[in-house]
Amino acid sequence: TRLASFIAGNFIFQITISKHYSTNNLFDDLKLLFRTAGVTGRPVSFIFTDAEVKEEGFLEYINQVLSTGEVSGLFPKDEVDAIIGEMRPIVKKEIKGFVDSADNLWRFFQDRARNNLHVILCMSPVGDILSSRCRKFPGLINCTTVDWFLPWPEAGLRNVSESFIKNFAMDAKPEVKQGIMAHMGNVHKMVQDATLDYFDKFRRNVYVTPKSYLSFIKSYTQVYSVEHGKVKVLADKINSGLDKLHQAQDDVGKMKVELRQSEVILADAVRKSSELLKEIAVATASAEKVKSSAKVIADAANEKATTIGAEKAEVEKDLEAAKPALLEAEDALKAIRPEDIKNLKALKNPPVVIKIIFDGVLLLRRRGMIKCQMVEEKGTLCYKDNYSEASKMMNESSFLTDLQGFPKECITDEDCELLGPYVEHPLFTADVAKKASELAVGLCKWVKAMSTYHMIAKVVIPKMDALRLKEAELAAAMKKLAGAEAELAAAQAELDAMQEKFDAAMAEKQRLQDETDATKKKMDAASQLLNGLAGERDRWTQQSADFADQIARLAGDCAVACGFMSYTGPFNKTFRDLLITNYFISDLNAKSIPVTKNLSVTSMLADEATTGQWNLQGLPTDDLSIQNGILTTSASRYPIMVDPQGQGLSWIKNKEAENGCKETSFVDKNFRGNLEECMSFGKPLLLANVEQELDPVLDPVLDKAFQRKGKGFIVALADKECDIEPDKFKLYITTRLGNPHFTPELSAKVTIIDFTVTMKGLEDQLLDRVVQNEKPELQTERTKLKTDVNEYKAKIMELQDDLLYRLANCDGSLLDDPEIIDVLNITKKTSAEVSEKLKNAGEAEGRIKVACEEYRPVAQRGSIVYFLIAEMSAVNPMYQTSLAQFVQVFNLSMTMAEKAAIPSKRIANVVDELTFRTFLYVCRGYMEIHKKIYTLLLALKLQLASDIITMDHFGCLVKGGAALDINTVKKKPKEWVPDHVWLNIIQLSMSISLFKELPDILARNESLWRQWYDQEAPEAVPVPDIDDRLDKMHKMLLVRSVRTDRTMISADEYIEEALEKKYTDTYPLNLEATHQDICELVEAPERVPIIFVLTPGSDPTELVMGLAKKKKKDVQAVSMGQGQEVVARRYIATSIVTGGWVLLQNTHLGLKYLVELEQQMVKLEEIDPDFRVWVTAEPHPGIPIGLLQMSIKITNEAPVGMRAGMKRSYAWITQDMLDTVPRVEWRTLLWVLCHLHSVVQERRKFGAIGWTVPYEFNQSDLNACSLFLQNHILDMDAKKAKDVTWS
């Protein structure tokens, strides 16, 4: 339609459904269409699909468009005026002389819109929806041209496959490629036909669409390319490895020749080096003599040098003592500035200390001085100064320079002796001088330093003179040593030359030896390598030869695998195997297309390491579950998992937990936010518990309508564009519906996968639980073995890949890689260890399996019982029971079963406890008529599993002779035999060998058989002729065939024989005991609603109130209906915190709130442990499955039969009630009242016969009567009446 509209130039429009799309939005879209078609005159194609019928009212407006070309009230008055104004210039331009009145303009607009607006309805004919809509809105069929799109014909399928496959590169013969293209069309056609058989056998709807076919072709090209690439890569690796091995063999031959040549050269080199060694020995002896003589001279010189060095160090040490004073004096002289001298010269009579210091300077410089005389000056004793001479000295321009360059070595003892009186004067100190002048300080320090230096030098200089003599002697000795060393060096040079020659010869010899050794080592390594790879070489050679055949078979194998992925998801295990073996592979064989014999699609599409990881994450280990895992992870479309037991949901949660998976649902308020977040950040999204329809907002996501924008991708949801990471984003959808009916449109967008657990798969899972409980050590070892085996297999694959990689990527010869030998040794060693571990693991697995198999009867019984419980949901929608809840009962049964030392006895105890506990658990929520059905089916299924009876017995009981025609069977002997009875007898004689002669027996003795037939209770009297041959099963079949109305009564005897009598007894409801059982059964009873299934005459309110009173709990009750959801929410919110009880009555009148209640029970993080929610509801298909599966169901239906009625009444009577009235008549009258109540309850099955109107005598009537009787007798007792008064 879109293509045709595009070619025609039409404006294509389709409404975009969002969560809040309403009639107002539809009107806005219709206005746009009418204005486009009417005002602009542009042809419009309005595509409207059944997925866009959000409200049935939408079709009323579509019906108007189809019938009249307009929608009443679509445009308000102001918009009509605007349209008329827009139409006026258009009409005048197109039609000359047009009368432009408002009515004419509006009529022109409507006609133009009607002519340009093309409505295309795309409706699915599946189900009754379309026919019902056509009856309600006749315009859908009367005002349209029906174009029925039939399935694609085989020729069309073939043409489509050719268009994709014809130019697709395949490593196959042309006839095989042609066969594949034909096979693809056949697969689609075969699956289409198989869906009809599947519906007939299992009443499950499956649809295949052209989109499935296109997905099949697309996946074929992808899988073939991937698998072909894998084979080619492996072939290249193995062929490269083989080439390296062959090259290594050739290299070994070459090395043998090289080794022989190297050995000859090596022998010659050894001879030459021996001769050279003799020459070196002679030269070495001569050099040793010279070396000894030089050593004596060197030792004497060294000893003398050591002595002189010590003396020199001592002299230098003495000189070091004078250095600080000299340095200080030099620093002081440097600190004297010319200005200081100028200032001092200006003084006519300087201080005494300055005069004394200058006298010392004059003495050292040997200037003229007067005779030293002691005088008193300014109260201080001092020497007669020579300051006049000092002034002259200061006037010299070189005064400071001369002092700094003063020759201190020229100072004599006489100088120091003359200087003594001055230096020793008390004023001749730096501190006193500093007070006089900075210049005086420096001169003072200098004079003292000169005196000190001379006193030290006087001692050191003789030592220095002696030292110079000894150094001269040392120089002569060293000269002699130099001559000896020169002679030694010449001898050593000659020796070194010969040694160098010898070393070169030895190096050459060593090189040859190393080359020879390397060649030998290389040959040994090569031999070791070739011997080590002998097994791999043979296997790889065979594998290399098989690659051509494997590639040839790849065309057929990929066709089977892709057919499996594209088509088999919605089918159960039986039909999947049928499709693959009897359809896909058979068609390939018929077309002579190579395909692997006994092909396993699971092994082809997933390796053991992957499936093992899935198993550890919670995916069951059976083949069906592995197939489902492959479909979930590998299918080209997003998966919808039909998962009534919730195992797929649990697996996905565990599998994607590390990737930040978010779980949501359509009732989740944050559904849209979770969707956008997961798309934007590339996280997995788990959309749980959907119904048969999905929110249209998901359509662009399911269609993968992703558009590139910049560097990323976007997807246009209903009202906005969202970022998405197509490579990382994953969408998983699950439904709890056991048999959902998805539309063909939805089936085309997604991959539907049937995750329903199989009986064998559940049996294996339950066996694990039994072993875990009974033999935990075995289960622990088993789990560890699975993990180890997966690791071992992965390790072997890793080692082989590493070896192939090294062989393929080895540069040059394989023998040049020294690491390859180590890798080979490690690989061989590890491979041997792993193989041994695998062998041991296999033996251990076998041993554990034998030990576990002993407990299989428990698992088998559990599997049978669960599937019977699951099938009961077809009887009444209220009987939904989750697998998780059943597992809780299963575990409790093992805990409560009687212990026994002998395993067989223990197993029998667990089986009995499981069967009976489950019987009590489920029958507590079944109606009386359905309890008998459950028990009968339980007995039949157990005997079928034990091969006590066959499916023929079951078929005769269920169907009788309904499949026979009275005109085609043997004529009945007498007219008193009804036709259906005779057909049942014929079928019984055909199916059961025991009844083979029954028709003849009845004909021969028809009078006795008629008497038996006319009996009120024929099951209680002997059967004519064959009674002694009948057991309870066969008697029930006979009663069912002849007197169908007595079948269920006869079934009681069969049940007692097949099971026990306790399965036919009635068990009155004890709500207190039931509440206690619930607390023991489930881990969090506060999160488990208790649902009372209402039946006529039953009202559990008093029971709940009575129990609450005993438990001292407050009960807040609300009767659901319009507007009561607010009250219920308030009660729930309050009681969750306080631990109170809430009673929601008649919730079938408020189904929407039940969805909210389910979410609360699951998602609330904190709930008071004492909180309970009690729910009463009549059976209704609209009650959420999830709520039913998580809840405990209870029925309080009136019992059937006097015995059951009296038992119910006895259970109702308490000791407190008996003790209330002290009179002896009370107990007797109470018994009579209970008996009367049971009688009138039994009479209800006759309707109004004997009564004015039908009336439900329920528990409330018994309560009222007992209360009246109690009050009456108490009144008698108060009046002290001796006898009972009846008025």
Side-chain angles (χ1 to χ4, degrees):
T1 300
R2 289 181 175 275
L3 178 62
S5 299
F6 177 77
I7 294 172
N10 289 14
F11 169 64
I12 304 169
F13 183 81
Q14 189 172 358
I15 66 175
T16 303
I17 294 293
S18 65
K19 186 175 182 179
H20 304 291
Y21 194 90
S22 62
T23 303
N24 292 333
N25 301 110
L26 178 64
F27 270 33
D28 292 338
D29 289 336
L30 290 176
K31 289 177 183 178
L32 172 65
L33 295 178
F34 274 95
R35 291 182 69 92
T36 303
V39 177
T40 65
R42 184 178 177 184
V44 175
S45 292
F46 175 34
I47 302 173
F48 189 77
T49 70
D50 46 9
E52 289 149 6
V53 185
K54 189 175 181 184
E55 301 174 11
E56 289 294 314
F58 287 5
L59 293 173
E60 172 60 33
Y61 305 112
I62 301 299
N63 186 62
Q64 290 183 33
V65 174
L66 295 172
S67 303
T68 64
E70 59 179 301
V71 177
S72 58
L74 178 63
F75 293 102
K77 183 68 170 62
D78 56 337
E79 293 185 19
V80 171
D81 293 340
I83 291 172
I84 291 174
E86 292 176 23
M87 292 301 297
R88 182 171 283 109
I90 297 173
V91 176
K92 287 184 176 180
K93 185 176 180 181
E94 291 187 4
I95 304 175
K96 294 181 179 180
F98 183 81
V99 179
D100 58 348
S101 64
D103 290 340
N104 289 343
L105 289 170
W106 182 248
R107 192 177 300 110
F108 181 85
F109 166 76
Q110 289 180 320
D111 292 341
R112 195 181 193 194
R114 192 180 295 115
N115 292 333
N116 287 325
L117 180 60
H118 305 277
V119 181
I120 302 99
L121 303 178
C122 300
M123 301 289 183
S124 172
V126 176
D128 300 329
I129 297 178
L130 180 60
S131 58
S132 174
R133 288 172 175 171
C134 289
R135 288 192 298 270
K136 293 178 183 177
F137 310 106
L140 298 181
I141 193 74
N142 295 336
C143 303
T144 57
T145 300
V146 178
D147 186 3
W148 194 286
F149 279 77
L150 298 173
W152 285 2
E154 291 188 28
L157 295 170
R158 173 67 183 269
N159 292 337
V160 171
S161 65
E162 284 183 356
S163 66
F164 285 95
I165 304 298
K166 189 174 182 179
N167 296 324
F168 176 64
M170 290 180 63
D171 197 351
K173 297 177 181 178
E175 55 270 23
V176 171
K177 195 171 184 179
Q178 289 294 326
I180 285 293
M181 290 186 284
H183 169 73
M184 288 180 168
N186 289 353
V187 166
H188 189 79
K189 188 70 172 61
M190 286 187 292
V191 177
Q192 275 185 331
D193 297 338
T195 58
L196 303 177
D197 296 338
Y198 191 60
F199 180 78
D200 292 338
K201 291 182 179 180
F202 299 99
R203 314 308 295 174
R204 300 175 79 93
N205 294 280
V206 176
Y207 301 103
V208 292
T209 63
K211 199 165 184 178
S212 304
Y213 184 57
L214 296 175
S215 174
F216 173 38
I217 297 173
K218 182 180 179 182
S219 61
Y220 180 83
T221 58
Q222 293 173 343
V223 172
Y224 184 89
S225 299
V226 171
E227 294 298 322
H228 186 268
K230 287 180 182 178
V231 175
K232 289 293 290 181
V233 168
L234 185 59
D236 292 343
K237 284 183 179 180
I238 289 178
N239 290 332
S240 176
L242 288 173
D243 291 341
K244 294 291 184 181
L245 292 179
H246 293 149
Q247 182 184 351
Q249 287 178 327
D250 296 338
D251 291 342
V252 169
K254 294 178 181 178
M255 281 191 292
K256 289 180 180 178
V257 177
E258 293 174 359
L259 183 61
R260 286 194 294 270
Q261 295 174 351
S262 298
E263 288 174 346
V264 174
I265 298 172
L266 179 62
D268 184 59
V270 170
R271 181 183 56 80
K272 290 180 178 179
S273 60
S274 299
E275 294 175 355
L276 189 59
L277 185 60
K278 293 177 182 178
E279 295 178 9
I280 292 174
V282 174
T284 301
S286 174
E288 284 297 328
K289 291 180 180 179
V290 177
K291 186 176 180 182
S292 299
S293 175
K295 185 176 185 301
V296 173
I297 297 172
D299 291 343
N302 289 334
E303 183 179 357
K304 186 172 290 189
T306 302
T307 304
I308 294 172
E311 293 176 357
K312 185 177 181 181
E314 183 181 354
V315 171
E316 288 176 349
K317 182 179 178 183
D318 293 340
L319 287 175
E320 285 292 325
K323 276 187 179 180
L326 289 174
L327 292 175
E328 185 179 3
E330 289 175 1
D331 291 340
L333 289 176
K334 290 177 183 178
I336 298 173
R337 299 174 298 173
E339 292 81 359
D340 296 333
I341 298 174
K342 186 177 180 181
N343 293 334
L344 193 60
K345 286 191 296 182
L347 296 176
K348 297 298 182 179
N349 188 20
V352 174
V353 64
I354 292 175
K355 293 177 181 180
I356 295 173
I357 290 169
F358 269 100
D359 287 346
V361 174
L362 290 171
L363 281 172
L364 286 174
R365 295 192 69 183
R366 297 178 183 173
R367 294 291 184 95
M369 291 183 62
I370 64 174
K371 185 177 180 181
C372 181
Q373 296 177 6
M374 182 69 67
V375 295
E376 182 177 350
E377 190 175 339
K378 298 180 182 180
T380 303
L381 290 175
C382 61
Y383 302 111
K384 189 172 179 64
D385 65 86
N386 297 278
Y387 192 69
S388 58
E389 187 63 26
S391 297
K392 294 177 183 178
M393 182 177 61
M394 281 191 290
N395 287 327
E396 294 174 2
S397 59
S398 60
F399 171 63
L400 283 178
T401 305
D402 292 341
L403 289 180
Q404 291 171 355
F406 182 76
K408 52 185 176 292
E409 294 84 2
C410 296
I411 300 174
T412 64
D413 291 342
E414 186 181 357
D415 293 335
C416 292
E417 184 180 354
L418 293 173
L419 190 62
Y422 295 94
V423 173
E424 294 171 1
H425 195 278
L427 294 178
F428 201 93
T429 63
D431 294 336
V432 176
K434 188 175 182 181
K435 294 176 182 178
S437 172
E438 288 294 334
L439 173 64
V441 175
L443 293 175
C444 177
K445 289 181 179 180
W446 180 80
V447 171
K448 281 191 174 184
M450 293 298 106
S451 176
T452 303
Y453 176 80
H454 174 74
M455 298 306 293
I456 293 173
K458 181 172 67 173
V459 178
V460 173
I461 287 173
K463 292 181 180 179
M464 291 182 69
D465 294 339
L467 182 62
R468 290 190 189 96
L469 294 175
K470 290 181 180 180
E471 284 180 345
E473 294 175 5
L474 179 62
M478 294 305 292
K479 184 176 181 182
K480 185 177 179 182
L481 177 62
E485 285 180 345
E487 185 180 353
L488 178 63
Q492 187 64 41
E494 181 181 358
L495 183 63
D496 290 344
M498 296 186 70
Q499 184 65 41
E500 185 177 351
K501 188 176 180 182
F502 177 74
D503 290 342
M506 293 301 293
E508 178 65 15
K509 175 191 171 186
Q510 188 62 41
R511 184 184 65 79
L512 294 172
Q513 184 68 48
D514 292 343
E515 288 181 357
T516 303
D517 292 343
T519 304
K520 287 182 179 180
K521 186 177 179 181
K522 203 171 184 180
M523 282 186 60
D524 294 340
S527 300
Q528 182 184 356
L529 177 64
L530 294 175
N531 293 333
L533 292 175
E536 280 77 4
R537 181 178 60 224
D538 296 339
R539 179 163 54 85
W540 292 344
T541 302
Q542 181 62 40
Q543 216 171 340
S544 179
D546 291 341
F547 280 137
D549 182 53
Q550 187 177 354
I551 290 175
R553 287 185 278 107
L554 206 56
D557 293 350
C558 291
V560 175
C562 295
F564 160 76
M565 287 196 299
S566 299
Y567 291 108
T568 63
F571 297 97
N572 59 23
K573 182 67 166 62
T574 304
F575 244 72
R576 287 184 188 180
D577 294 341
L578 179 70
L579 286 171
I580 292 172
T581 306
N582 294 8
Y583 289 80
F584 300 167
I585 295 180
S586 296
D587 188 65
L588 290 169
N589 292 333
K591 290 179 170 55
S592 301
I593 298 174
V595 64
T596 301
K597 188 177 181 181
N598 300 324
L599 175 67
S600 171
V601 292
T602 54
S603 301
M604 179 179 177
L605 297 174
D607 55 54
E608 292 184 357
T610 302
T611 57
Q613 186 66 25
W614 291 346
N615 297 147
L616 294 175
Q617 290 166 345
L619 186 69
T621 56
D622 58 288
D623 193 50
L624 176 65
S625 298
I626 300 301
Q627 290 181 1
N628 291 337
I630 292 171
L631 290 170
T632 303
T633 55
S634 303
S636 59
R637 293 166 288 172
Y638 294 124
I640 287 185
M641 294 177 277
V642 180
D643 187 30
Q645 287 81 31
Q647 293 189 326
L649 182 69
S650 300
W651 171 56
I652 292 299
K653 284 182 180 178
N654 296 333
K655 178 179 177 295
E656 297 294 352
E658 61 184 14
N659 298 323
C661 178
K662 284 189 173 290
E663 182 182 357
T664 187
S665 64
F666 287 134
V667 297
D668 187 354
K669 295 179 180 178
N670 200 30
F671 159 68
R672 184 69 178 271
N674 290 332
L675 174 63
E676 294 177 6
E677 178 185 347
C678 289
M679 289 193 303
S680 299
F681 294 99
K683 296 179 180 178
L685 178 66
L686 176 57
L687 181 56
N689 307 326
V690 302
E691 300 296 328
Q692 298 185 141
E693 296 180 358
L694 301 185
D695 193 325
V697 76
L698 284 177
D699 286 348
V701 181
L702 298 179
D703 291 333
K704 295 189 176 179
F706 308 142
Q707 304 170 15
R708 179 174 287 280
K709 186 175 183 181
K711 295 182 179 180
F713 288 86
I714 61 167
V715 59
L717 298 185
D719 50 0
K720 65 183 294 189
E721 291 182 347
C722 299
D723 295 328
I724 187 169
E725 293 192 24
D727 296 334
K728 295 182 180 179
F729 172 70
K730 299 176 184 176
L731 175 63
Y732 302 98
I733 307 172
T734 68
T735 178
R736 290 178 298 208
L737 300 176
N739 184 13
H741 185 179
F742 296 117
T743 63
E745 291 79 13
L746 182 57
S747 301
K749 295 176 180 178
V750 298
T751 298
I752 300 173
I753 306 171
D754 187 2
F755 258 84
T756 306
V757 67
T758 62
M759 186 171 286
K760 183 67 172 63
L762 179 60
E763 187 177 313
D764 292 339
Q765 295 175 49
L766 294 179
L767 180 61
D768 289 343
R769 291 185 174 274
V770 177
V771 175
Q772 179 67 42
N773 186 76
E774 302 296 322
K775 297 284 186 181
E777 67 280 359
L778 281 180
Q779 188 64 15
T780 303
E781 187 178 356
R782 191 179 190 181
T783 304
K784 185 176 183 300
L785 272 178
K786 288 181 180 178
T787 306
D788 291 345
V789 166
N790 289 335
E791 291 177 355
Y792 295 156
K793 291 180 177 178
K795 186 66 176 177
I796 286 180
M797 292 297 297
E798 180 184 345
L799 291 172
Q800 179 174 332
D801 290 344
D802 184 48
L803 183 58
L804 282 172
Y805 175 80
R806 286 186 174 274
L807 289 174
N809 293 275
C810 178
D811 295 330
S813 173
L814 185 64
L815 306 179
D816 294 332
D817 188 353
E819 295 182 3
I820 195 72
I821 305 298
D822 297 334
V823 172
L824 176 62
N825 290 331
I826 294 172
T827 301
K828 279 293 182 183
K829 182 180 178 181
T830 310
S831 181
E833 292 175 356
V834 170
S835 299
E836 183 65 24
K837 289 179 180 178
L838 279 175
K839 181 182 177 182
N840 296 336
E843 294 173 356
E845 177 67 20
R847 187 181 68 256
I848 293 172
K849 189 173 182 181
V850 171
C852 293
E853 284 298 313
E854 187 178 10
Y855 292 92
R856 187 166 287 279
V858 180
Q860 187 179 38
R861 178 63 60 90
S863 183
I864 292 171
V865 170
Y866 171 74
F867 274 92
L868 174 57
I869 295 172
E871 290 168 2
M872 289 298 291
S873 62
V875 177
N876 190 310
M878 302 295 287
Y879 298 163
Q880 295 281 352
T881 302
S882 68
L883 178 59
Q885 211 170 70
F886 171 77
V887 168
Q888 291 173 337
V889 180
F890 186 85
N891 293 335
L892 184 62
S893 300
M894 290 189 289
T895 303
M896 302 303 294
E898 183 181 350
K899 305 294 181 182
I902 303 173
S904 58
K905 179 62 176 173
R906 168 64 178 167
I907 291 168
N909 293 343
V910 174
V911 168
D912 292 342
E913 178 70 20
L914 169 64
T915 308
F916 188 62
R917 183 171 290 275
T918 311
F919 165 77
L920 294 177
Y921 174 78
V922 297
C923 288
R924 184 168 54 207
Y926 288 174
M927 298 180 187
E928 291 296 329
I929 188 173
H930 298 150
K931 292 177 183 177
K932 184 68 69 65
I933 294 174
Y934 170 82
T935 313
L936 176 58
L937 287 173
L938 177 63
L940 290 169
K941 286 181 177 290
L942 293 180
Q943 290 202 335
L944 278 170
S946 304
D947 295 328
I948 298 174
I949 63 174
T950 65
M951 285 303 297
D952 292 331
H953 293 81
F954 190 81
C956 288
L957 179 65
V958 175
K959 296 184 293 185
L964 301 177
D965 185 356
I966 193 64
N967 297 318
T968 60
V969 300
K970 183 179 180 180
K971 186 178 179 182
K972 61 183 181 180
K974 295 293 181 178
E975 288 300 320
W976 65 266
V977 181
D979 289 350
H980 71 277
V981 172
W982 183 245
L983 292 176
N984 291 341
I985 292 172
I986 294 297
Q987 184 64 52
L988 198 60
S989 66
M990 293 167 58
S991 302
I992 311 298
S993 59
L994 181 63
F995 297 111
K996 185 176 181 181
E997 299 178 355
L998 182 60
D1000 296 333
I1001 293 173
L1002 189 147
R1004 288 196 304 266
N1005 203 359
E1006 61 87 20
S1007 59
L1008 285 176
W1009 279 92
R1010 183 168 186 176
Q1011 290 178 14
W1012 183 78
Y1013 174 79
D1014 290 334
Q1015 289 286 337
E1016 181 179 351
E1019 74 282 353
V1021 299
V1023 179
D1025 301 322
I1026 58 172
D1027 188 71
D1028 57 337
R1029 288 182 280 170
L1030 299 180
D1031 58 14
K1032 300 299 183 183
M1033 175 67 199
H1034 291 94
K1035 188 170 184 178
M1036 179 180 67
L1037 291 179
L1038 184 61
V1039 172
R1040 183 258 181 269
S1041 300
V1042 180
R1043 285 287 301 274
T1044 307
D1045 60 309
R1046 305 295 295 178
T1047 302
M1048 295 308 293
I1049 299 173
S1050 177
D1052 285 340
E1053 298 181 3
Y1054 165 69
I1055 293 169
E1056 290 179 7
E1057 181 185 70
L1059 299 173
E1060 292 182 55
K1061 191 176 186 310
K1062 61 183 178 182
Y1063 288 91
T1064 59
D1065 285 344
T1066 58
Y1067 299 90
L1069 174 65
N1070 184 332
L1071 192 58
E1072 184 174 2
T1074 301
H1075 182 264
Q1076 184 61 34
D1077 290 345
I1078 294 170
C1079 294
E1080 294 176 357
L1081 177 65
V1082 298
E1083 296 180 358
E1086 67 274 10
R1087 295 183 181 274
V1088 179
I1090 303 168
I1091 298 180
F1092 284 94
V1093 182
L1094 297 178
T1095 55
S1098 67
D1099 184 6
T1101 303
E1102 291 298 326
L1103 294 175
V1104 176
M1105 294 297 182
L1107 179 61
K1109 187 175 181 181
K1110 286 184 179 180
K1111 300 289 185 181
K1112 298 180 180 180
K1113 291 291 179 184
D1114 293 331
V1115 180
Q1116 299 185 85
V1118 56
S1119 183
M1120 300 304 292
Q1122 187 173 7
Q1124 296 303 305
E1125 290 85 354
V1126 178
V1127 179
R1129 288 190 193 99
R1130 186 171 69 250
Y1131 286 172
I1132 291 287
T1134 304
S1135 300
I1136 282 173
V1137 177
T1138 62
W1141 289 5
V1142 177
L1143 175 60
L1144 305 178
Q1145 298 172 303
N1146 301 321
T1147 52
H1148 54 280
L1149 303 177
L1151 295 176
K1152 289 185 178 179
Y1153 179 70
L1154 293 183
V1155 177
E1156 184 179 332
L1157 177 64
E1158 176 192 356
Q1159 296 295 314
Q1160 280 185 304
M1161 293 296 99
V1162 173
K1163 294 188 175 181
L1164 280 176
E1165 294 182 0
E1166 294 185 5
I1167 301 179
D1168 191 286
D1170 294 330
F1171 169 75
R1172 299 289 184 275
V1173 57
W1174 307 80
V1175 178
T1176 69
E1178 292 181 2
H1180 194 288
I1183 296 178
I1185 293 176
L1187 184 66
L1188 291 172
Q1189 289 186 342
M1190 69 167 25
S1191 64
I1192 303 294
K1193 275 78 66 181
I1194 300 175
T1195 57
N1196 192 30
E1197 192 177 8
V1200 177
M1202 284 293 297
R1203 183 167 178 268
M1206 292 301 292
K1207 287 182 71 175
R1208 166 76 70 84
S1209 298
Y1210 288 163
W1212 167 69
I1213 296 172
T1214 63
Q1215 187 63 41
D1216 292 339
M1217 185 184 295
L1218 295 176
D1219 296 340
T1220 303
V1221 181
R1223 293 184 67 99
V1224 295
E1225 301 91 347
W1226 166 241
R1227 299 194 177 200
T1228 305
L1229 290 172
L1230 194 58
W1231 184 92
V1232 171
L1233 180 61
C1234 291
H1235 188 272
L1236 175 64
H1237 180 69
S1238 298
V1239 170
V1240 295
Q1241 278 196 321
E1242 274 300 290
R1243 285 191 56 84
R1244 290 183 307 173
K1245 62 186 177 184
F1246 300 111
I1249 297 176
W1251 309 94
T1252 307
V1253 293
Y1255 182 76
E1256 295 292 338
F1257 290 95
N1258 55 35
Q1259 191 65 32
S1260 299
D1261 297 305
L1262 180 59
N1263 290 343
C1265 292
S1266 66
L1267 184 61
F1268 172 79
L1269 186 62
Q1270 175 184 326
N1271 292 335
H1272 182 69
I1273 295 179
L1274 288 173
D1275 185 58
M1276 286 171 44
D1277 194 51
K1279 294 178 180 179
K1280 299 184 179 179
K1282 294 183 179 180
D1283 299 322
V1284 177
T1285 56
W1286 303 103
S1287 59

